[in-house]
């Protein structure tokens, strides 16, 4: 309670109401100083005017207070703000009580009150002329807060230090109480445990003070708390001009809580924070955004968030890029099934607290697109909500969190406060700026996968669209299917795979694949040897050759493969060749690939094109292509590779005589593939069969391949917009790395992969990246003739490497030393790198067709082989080390690289417009 008081009173008025109000806040003060206003005289010497009777009565009341260390008084004949401020400072006043000043202007009285509370940061109790003259039998507090909760912090601080009320009512000036739930959340987070009723007032600035007083009086409050943190400068001015009379005549004493935060601007931008989930041993992730008066959302500058729970600050957490991460250890006390209220204060905001909830689930989760249409079946949501925690996921931040929350309140009005998490916060994908909206359903499924990896039980994933998703361990529902759920019978979570450790479990969940032993596996980085190995496999085929390819060139190398396939067909081998219709230029828009036409004319050889195009294709038809490169021979050996059928992919660097005049297309590319024998060969052939029949081919039997070695591996297949298995597998490998990562690829890093690599570097993992030149060059950056537009692609690829290099990663620009057949003036040659390789620590290698860009992650069907073997990883690293040794090292100290940084950044920002 307050100990040192200054009482400003009218010496011509009855003092009882002033004493009653003051004693409620200071029952046993140490010091009281009376500052009276009397138009008659300044002293107390006889003869005493009758108008000073109030002073005597007030003085007697102070004596009854049993003031411990003194009381004093003074009389003045006019109201002077500076004199009152000086008296408050001189006596060290903690509380200034201002009674009715009937002889003074209400505006002058209000000016003194605001100066004391805002400028001097003192508590000021304003007692109006209509306040009761007898003590109140109740203990009710009314709070005048802003609709966004500003001021609740100082209210909570006041309640912690003073006698708690029996009841509490919050009065806001909003016309509709949409933010009631947020005010409740903030009050709990700040430790306000009293029952909080919320009453909305519709009066504008002119009648606001009167409206607050009237509502507090009608509700029976004996004190109105008015935190000045809730009042910006313009509203304070309006209160002084328009609310002075109401404050002078008030029926309920109003305690102005002093300003504790910087003054808010009239149109201040505020912060909003998403909800989050508390899962065992996992960090909690929140989206943080800045919302202004204009539509849209922006990412706040990096800063610190102070987190409050139950009125106690838990600590400060950095937020960056629109995401804040809190340690799970802060919430070890939270009970399962409990939703905890939190409040966030941002160091870059002037006062508004951002409320949110954290749920510690004790039931399965149902993850739901937060933009589910208003026509979505509510019965289905109610059925899910009866057995599951409903967790809504915002997939795009084009609309503020507040807008999504209001939409959800209307969508499911009977389901309580909706829990709203943010996809980008959990995926760390940079607000999905490089990911099109058409893949939002896949991102929702990926959030569910990430939560399942953290141990959450997922009963269902409900999309906004009627396009079905697929995951082997997660149930997906369209809105229609959600409406067909039997009443009261929510689906049970599907069983997730058992695994010996967290890494194995994440890989299984990510790719829907199993780790299988019994394999012999080798890899080949040399194009010439890879060509001869494939030719030898075809020449040795006895029953079947099944080859799936993305691109088929009509050149000399393809002719050699064609001849080998034709010879096999003549031996009675059944040859099935599957190609992408668009990128192989076969059976689309009336065009046929001559090389494939020649092959299809051979008895025993059947050629089929995947997803032929005609007319004006949609973006879905153009982007959803099949990028896999697979070869299976006799169901005994298989090749999973990044190489297409053509000279660029299967010509060794020492097999071509390069000249300065050579066209850029003559420069071979670095590529890689794996050859394996063992049980997964059958899985690869089944994948071929599925695409074959989808393309109109007849089904054929696939026998089980026998074990052929000791190596363990898993096959990860990604199918267009149905899943994201290869991306999630790549991320699982990166996130689990402890010591080293080596990546080989020349495609623009998906921002989510970029962030995962930066996070790996921050935890001490060594990251090396080998990339190539989309437009090959030689010597001192002299490009080979042709392909000028490819330089733009080069800058785009490099722009995505900048963040990794800045964080301490080392990139190597692939280069080959001079070969005897090359013109000596070439010096080193910098070719394209088409290989797709990822080595994790010293125990896992991923190789296949999947690049590290958004197209491979979401759109195109891919195949990836993950080999779990230390010796295999060591052999791969040794082979890569020899390539790194001849390449140009790029790190953050590379001055040449830094010089071109701005050009790369510009291309990165404008890439879509540059490529149309």
């Amino acid at each position: 309670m307050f100990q040192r008081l200054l009482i400003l009173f009218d010496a011509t008025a009855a003092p009882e109401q002033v004493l009653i109000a003051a004693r409620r806040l200071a029952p046993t003060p140490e010091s009281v100083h009376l500052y009276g206003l009397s138009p008659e005289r300044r002293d107390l010497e006889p003869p005493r005017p009758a108008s000073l009777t109030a002073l005597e009565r007030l003085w007697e009341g102070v004596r009854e207070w049993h003031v411990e260390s003194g009381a004093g008084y003074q009389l003045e004949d006019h109201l002077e703000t500076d004199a009152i401020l000086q008296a408050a400072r001189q006596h060290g006043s903690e509380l200034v009580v201002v009674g009715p000043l009937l002889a003074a202007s209400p505006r002058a009285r209000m000016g003194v009150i605001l100066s004391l509370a805002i400028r001097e940061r003192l508590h000021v109790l304003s007692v109006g002329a209509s306040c009761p003259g007898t003590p109140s039998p109740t203990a009710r507090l009314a709070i005048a807060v802003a609709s966004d909760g500003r001021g609740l912090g100082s209210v909570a601080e006041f309640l912690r230090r003073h006698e708690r009320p029996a009841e509490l009512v919050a009065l806001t000036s909003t016309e509709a109480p949409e933010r009631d739930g947020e005010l409740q959340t903030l009050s709990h987070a700040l430790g306000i445990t009293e029952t909080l009723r919320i009453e909305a007032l519709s009066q504008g600035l002119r009648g606001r003070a009167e409206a607050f007083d009237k509502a507090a009086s009608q509700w029976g409050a004996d004190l109105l708390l008015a935190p000045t943190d809730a009042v910006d400068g313009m509203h304070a001015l309006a209160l002084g001009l328009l609310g002075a009379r109401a404050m002078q005549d008030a029926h309920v004493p109003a305690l102005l809580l002093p300003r504790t935060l910087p003054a808010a601007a009239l149109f201040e931008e505020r912060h909003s924070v998403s909800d989050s989930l508390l899962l065992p041993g996992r960090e909690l992730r929140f989206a943080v955004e800045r919302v202004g008066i204009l539509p849209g959302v922006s990412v706040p500058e990096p800063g610190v968030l102070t987190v409050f729970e139950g009125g106690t600050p838990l600590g400060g957490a950095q937020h960056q890029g629109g995401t804040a991460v809190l340690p799970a250890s802060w919430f070890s006390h939270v009970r399962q099934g409990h939703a905890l209220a939190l409040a966030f204060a941002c160091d870059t905001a002037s006062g508004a607290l951002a409320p949110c909830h954290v749920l510690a689930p004790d039931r399965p989760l149902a993850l739901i697109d937060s933009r589910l249409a208003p026509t979505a079946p509510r019965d289905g949501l109610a059925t899910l909500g009866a057995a599951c925690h409903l967790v809504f996921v915002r997939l795009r931040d084009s609309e503020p969190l507040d807008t999504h929350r209001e939409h959800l309140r209307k969508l499911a009005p009977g389901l309580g406060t909706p829990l709203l998490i943010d996809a980008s916060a959990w995926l760390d994908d940079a607000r999905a700026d490089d990911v099109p909206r058409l893949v939002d359903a896949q991102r929702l499924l990926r959030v569910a996968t990430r939560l399942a990896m953290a141990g959450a039980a997922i009963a269902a994933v409900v999309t906004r669209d009627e396009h079905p998703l697929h995951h082997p361990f997660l149930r997906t529902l369209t809105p229609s299917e959600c409406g067909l759920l039997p009443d009261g019978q929510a689906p049970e979570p599907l069983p997730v795979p058992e695994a010996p450790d967290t890494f194995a479990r994440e890989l299984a969940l990510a790719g829907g694949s199993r780790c299988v032993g019994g394999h012999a596996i080798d890899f080949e980085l040399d194009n010439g040897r890879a060509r001869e190995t494939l030719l030898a496999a075809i020449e040795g085929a006895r029953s079947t050759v099944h080859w799936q390819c993305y691109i088929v060139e009509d050149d000399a190398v393809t002719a050699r493969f064609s001849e080998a396939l034709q010879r096999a067909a003549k031996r009675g081998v059944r040859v099935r060749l599957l190609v992408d219709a668009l990128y192989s230029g076969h059976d689309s828009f009336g065009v046929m690939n001559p090389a494939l036409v020649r092959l299809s004319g051979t008895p025993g050889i059947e050629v089929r094109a995947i997803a032929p195009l005609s007319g004006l294709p949609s973006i879905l038809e153009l982007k959803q292509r099949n990028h896999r490169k697979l070869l299976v021979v006799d169901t005994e050996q298989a090749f999973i590779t990044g190489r297409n059928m053509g000279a660029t992919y299967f010509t060794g660097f020492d097999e071509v005589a390069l000249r300065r005049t050579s066209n850029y297309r003559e420069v071979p590319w670095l590529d890689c593939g794996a050859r394996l024998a063992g049980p997964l060969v059958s899985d690869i052939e089944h994948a071929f069969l599925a695409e074959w029949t989808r393309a109109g081919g007849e089904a054929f039997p696939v026998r089980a391949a026998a074990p052929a070695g000791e190596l363990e591996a898993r096959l990860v297949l990604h199918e267009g917009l149905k899943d994201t298995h290869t991306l999630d597998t790549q991320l699982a490998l990166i996130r689990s790395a402890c010591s080293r990562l080596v990546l080989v690829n020349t495609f623009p890093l998906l921002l989510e992969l970029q962030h995962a690599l930066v996070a790996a570097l921050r935890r001490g993992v060594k990251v090396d990246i080998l990339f190539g030149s989309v437009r090959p060059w030689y010597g001192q950056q002299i490009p080979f003739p042709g392909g000028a537009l490819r330089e733009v692609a080069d800058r785009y690829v490099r722009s995505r490497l900048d963040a990794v290099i800045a964080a301490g990663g080392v990139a190597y620009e692939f280069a080959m030393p001079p070969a005897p057949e090359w013109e000596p003036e070439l010096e080193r040659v910098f070719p394209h790198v088409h290989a797709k390789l990822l080595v994790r620590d010293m125990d896992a290698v991923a190789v296949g067709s999947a690049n590290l860009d958004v197209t491979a992650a979401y759109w195109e069907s891919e195949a990836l082989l993950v080999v779990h073997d230390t010796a295999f990883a060591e052999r791969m690293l040794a082979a890569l080390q020899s390539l790194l040794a001849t390449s140009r090292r790029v790190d953050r100290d590379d001055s040449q690289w830094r010089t071109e940084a701005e050009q790369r950044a510009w291309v990165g920002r404008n890439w879509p417009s540059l490529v149309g």
Side-chain angles (χ1 to χ4, degrees), residues 394-412:
R394 184 181 70 165
L395 296 168
R396 295 284 164 178
D397 65 358
S398 52
E399 291 182 316
L401 290 161
D402 295 346
T403 301
H404 284 260
R405 285 177 169 128
E406 179 57 25
H407 167 72
L408 294 175
R409 280 190 282 266
K410 294 176 181 177
L411 176 68

Side-chain angles (χ1 to χ4, degrees), residues 191 223 265 274 284 320 377 457 464 517 592 648 661 702 755-756 820 837-838 868 890 906:
L223 183 65
S274 70
L284 289 79
Q320 186 169 12
R464 177 176 52 187
M592 304 296 286
T648 305
T661 56
V702 177
H755 283 199
L837 279 172
L838 193 160
H868 298 275
V890 180
W906 186 89

